[in-house]
């Protein structure tokens, strides 16, 4: 079974600065997807960024980028130019890439990290 | 765009009562999921469905039942509610289980308290 670990329960960043959120995972599969979801106080689960394990290039979405280290099974999220609206809980998630995966198509989540942004 | 719609948003139940959490999606997605999120934790899969008429258990199915009579709807039923079922429940959907890079789309959640 796959596991996702987010060991930092809370982080804080000054507005306009950069922050990195850590995530590690464990799997025996070679092909999979990794995601970062944002959950603001409204409770919505919002996709921030995704990474295909077979791609060596790190994914980037505007101010959000990842550092994907497949051998180390590490998947950190970097937020540049932090904004007040970035304050939320962030979840790292794993999903198998197996076709017709059934239950393996589920997302396996870490416990999340609460990010606060100081004005 | 409606996406995934969950009702109700909040509910308080007494121990032993039953209720159904509704979930509907208008994206013609085959895969649908029910997760629960306990305080300070990530989401855990309760049940999932790969298409109309097909459902299966996830990690934490005890105390719940589901049905999938149509592609759009995937209700979650709690029978004999227990305090341990106090949680926030999320419904999600995706077109396929493993289409390249396709994310799951989430509803806004239902906060359920069992007293």
């Amino acid at each position: 079974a796959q596991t996702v670990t987010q060991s930092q329960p809370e982080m804080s960043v000054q507005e306009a600065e950069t922050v990195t959120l850590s995530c590690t995972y464990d799997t025996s599969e070679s092909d999979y997807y990794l995601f970062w979801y944002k959950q603001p106080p409204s409770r919505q689960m919002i996709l921030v960024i995704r990474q295909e394990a077979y791609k060596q290039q790190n994914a980037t979405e505007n101010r959000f980028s990842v550092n994907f280290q497949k051998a180390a099974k590490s998947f950190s999220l970097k937020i540049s130019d932090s904004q007040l609206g970035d304050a939320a809980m962030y979840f790292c998630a794993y999903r198998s890439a197996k076709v017709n995966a059934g239950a393996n198509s589920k997302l396996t989540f870490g416990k999340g990290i609460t990010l606060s942004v100081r004005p | 765009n409606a996406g995934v719609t969950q009702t109700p948003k909040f509910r308080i139940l007494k121990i032993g009562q039953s209720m159904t959490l509704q979930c509907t999606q208008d994206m013609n997605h085959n895969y649908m999921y029910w997760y629960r999120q306990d305080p300070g934790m990530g989401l855990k899969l309760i049940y999932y469905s790969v298409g109309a008429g097909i459902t299966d258990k996830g990690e934490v199915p005890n105390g719940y039942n589901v049905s999938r009579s149509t592609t759009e709807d995937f209700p979650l039923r709690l029978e004999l509610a227990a305090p341990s079922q106090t949680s926030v429940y999320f419904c999600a959907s995706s077109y396929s289980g493993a289409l390249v890079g396709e994310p799951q789309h989430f509803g806004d959640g239902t906060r359920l308290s069992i007293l």
Side-chain angles (χ1 to χ4, degrees):
Chain A
Q2 296 81 26
T3 58
V4 176
T5 302
Q6 295 177 256
S7 56
Q8 306 156 303
E10 298 178 352
M11 286 198 75
S12 180
V13 63
Q14 191 74 37
E15 193 175 7
E17 293 190 345
T18 296
V19 64
T20 299
L21 310 182
S22 300
C23 172
T24 59
Y25 59 94
D26 190 27
T27 183
S28 59
E29 297 180 327
S30 59
D31 201 12
Y32 46 86
Y33 304 110
L34 296 165
F35 303 85
W36 278 97
Y37 277 88
K38 172 185 178 182
Q39 187 179 44
S42 64
R43 288 204 320 258
Q44 286 181 300
M45 291 292 287
I46 303 166
L47 178 68
V48 175
I49 199 166
R50 62 190 174 204
Q51 174 79 42
E52 291 91 339
Y54 63 87
K55 289 186 176 179
Q56 292 185 339
Q57 186 174 5
N58 289 324
T60 300
E61 289 285 343
N62 300 315
R63 298 184 294 107
F64 299 89
S65 61
V66 300
N67 183 5
F68 173 49
Q69 302 288 329
K70 191 172 184 180
K73 295 180 181 174
S74 170
F75 182 60
S76 60
L77 174 69
K78 185 172 81 171
I79 306 175
S80 304
D81 187 25
S82 297
Q83 300 175 0
L84 295 178
D86 294 335
M89 198 156 188
Y90 287 82
F91 291 96
C92 178
Y94 170 103
R95 196 186 78 200
S96 171
K98 290 180 181 178
V99 178
N100 298 323
N104 286 328
S105 68
K106 71 175 174 70
L107 290 168
T108 298
F109 287 87
K111 291 185 178 181
I113 179 170
T114 300
L115 177 67
S116 58
V117 181
R118 304 186 301 275
Chain B
N1 294 333
V4 179
T5 303
Q6 290 183 238
T7 57
K9 293 189 184 303
F10 304 94
R11 183 73 184 267
I12 298 174
L13 282 182
K14 293 182 179 179
I15 295 172
Q17 286 185 320
S18 61
M19 78 163 292
T20 299
L21 280 65
Q22 301 292 345
C23 175
T24 187
Q25 51 90 10
D26 62 357
M27 298 173 282
N28 200 31
H29 283 170
N30 294 320
Y31 279 64
M32 295 188 75
Y33 309 82
W34 274 106
Y35 294 90
R36 60 177 284 173
Q37 183 182 22
D38 297 328
M41 303 293 287
L43 282 67
K44 293 192 174 182
L45 184 68
I46 305 171
Y47 270 94
Y48 71 99
S49 169
V50 303
I54 307 170
T55 64
D56 209 344
K57 297 177 181 179
E59 300 169 88
V60 289
N62 292 343
Y64 307 94
N65 279 300
V66 294
S67 60
R68 186 95 181 271
S69 57
T70 66
T71 299
E72 295 79 17
D73 300 309
F74 189 42
L76 176 73
R77 182 153 182 88
L78 279 71
E79 305 280 4
L80 297 175
S84 61
Q85 293 177 304
T86 294
S87 190
V88 179
Y89 291 83
F90 287 94
C91 180
S93 72
S94 63
Y95 180 72
S96 159
L99 199 63
V100 175
E102 185 207 5
Q104 293 182 7
H105 301 261
F106 285 83
D108 289 345
T110 295
R111 183 178 295 276
L112 180 63
S113 296
I114 315 296
L115 303 176

